Amino acid sequence: MTQSRAFWRSVEAIHDVVYFRPDAKARYEAIGLKGYWMGYVASRSAAAGTPSANLVTAMFHGFAPSPIGRAVPDAWALASRDDVLDTRLALARDALAPAATDLDVAQVARELTQVVAGLDLAGKPLAAAHADLPAPADDLGRLWHAATIIREYRGDCHVAVLTAAGLDGAAANALAVATGLAPAEQRTFRGWTDDEWDRALGRLGTRGWVDASGTATDTGRAARAQIEDTTDRVCAAGLDQRATGRAITVEASVVGLARALEHTGAISYPNPTAVPRP
């Protein structure tokens, strides 16, 4: 049995609120980091310690190496890892609170924590790194923490499927744009140059996945759909029976929270994650 797309997309939305807070840049600058981009890279990778640019590039996959290299390792000299993680958690709490007023936060946090307990983390480095972090003491913090581990678990699975399909970071993003999953500005969001993007489109064109204008062909759309289907299967294979049951039980609540987050403006669609609304 596989979890529904609505479950995975909702967990993505819950995790992603930290990236779309309008005050994220100012908060990261307040602890010493230089701007939004450094805050994003440092806050997402800090679960793994103070990783190098090469390691962050490997874990993130879809981001160009050059802008990651401008964020780390400098970030680790400018702000403490604990301050970076604390700032991201505070951003999460502030974004989630207005949308969670009608939610049994403690129950959802418990259910998602049970899902985490049943994950096979082998080959999932970002999920494992986040799972090693101490769970927050408050219910809302625990909810976001568990959702983040589950989100990074699916992300790690997705990266494995993308690389198995022969898609590097630039090509994966170019295909997402071509199929309408990501906005046209994705190249800039992910730091790829015009030349890198054009070469990625060329590689997709050679496979018959995009036409000369960069629009996805029927073959390309089918290939992208197959990648998502395979990601679903890989994710399902790494959840034990109890975790699968807990995910089914909590699905309605996480979908409701994700939709409330869109209503409050904490997240909007389409966005650079290339994940549709639940």
Side-chain angles (χ1 to χ4, degrees), residues 234-248:
V234 172
C235 287
L239 271 72
D240 66 19
Q241 186 174 8
R242 184 178 184 184
T244 299
R246 296 278 66 77
I248 293 170

Side-chain angles (χ1 to χ4, degrees), residues 76-206:
W76 313 129
L78 296 171
S80 77
R81 172 179 180 252
D82 286 347
D83 284 348
V84 171
L85 290 170
D86 288 346
T87 299
R88 185 170 73 148
L89 182 57
L91 286 166
R93 290 190 183 106
D94 290 348
L96 291 173
T101 54
D102 296 325
L103 186 72
D104 187 340
V105 174
Q107 177 64 24
V108 175
R110 285 193 295 270
E111 296 288 351
L112 290 179
T113 298
Q114 288 297 320
V115 176
V116 169
L119 296 177
D120 177 3
L121 297 177
K124 290 94 176 179
L126 267 176
H130 282 85
D132 277 347
L133 294 174
D138 62 297
D139 292 331
L140 198 59
R142 283 196 298 274
L143 188 160
W144 181 81
H145 175 67
T148 292
I149 298 167
I150 298 166
R151 185 269 161 222
E152 295 293 16
Y153 167 84
R154 183 177 175 84
D156 288 334
C157 291
H158 191 54
V159 168
V161 173
L162 290 171
T163 54
L167 291 172
D168 56 47
N173 277 284
L175 183 60
V177 173
T179 53
L181 291 172
E185 300 84 5
Q186 190 77 345
R187 180 192 67 76
T188 303
F189 292 153
R190 297 297 170 92
W192 300 102
T193 66
D194 285 330
D195 286 345
E196 289 168 334
W197 197 258
D198 288 344
R199 289 196 296 272
L201 286 171
R203 293 191 292 276
L204 295 174
T206 298

Side-chain angles (χ1 to χ4, degrees), residues 34 37-39 41-42 53 57 64-76 78 188-193:
K34 295 181 179 179
W37 174 247
M38 183 177 281
V41 175
T57 300
S66 178
I68 288 178
R70 291 196 295 270
V72 294
D74 288 357
W76 313 129
L78 296 171
T188 303
F189 292 153
R190 297 297 170 92
W192 300 102
T193 66

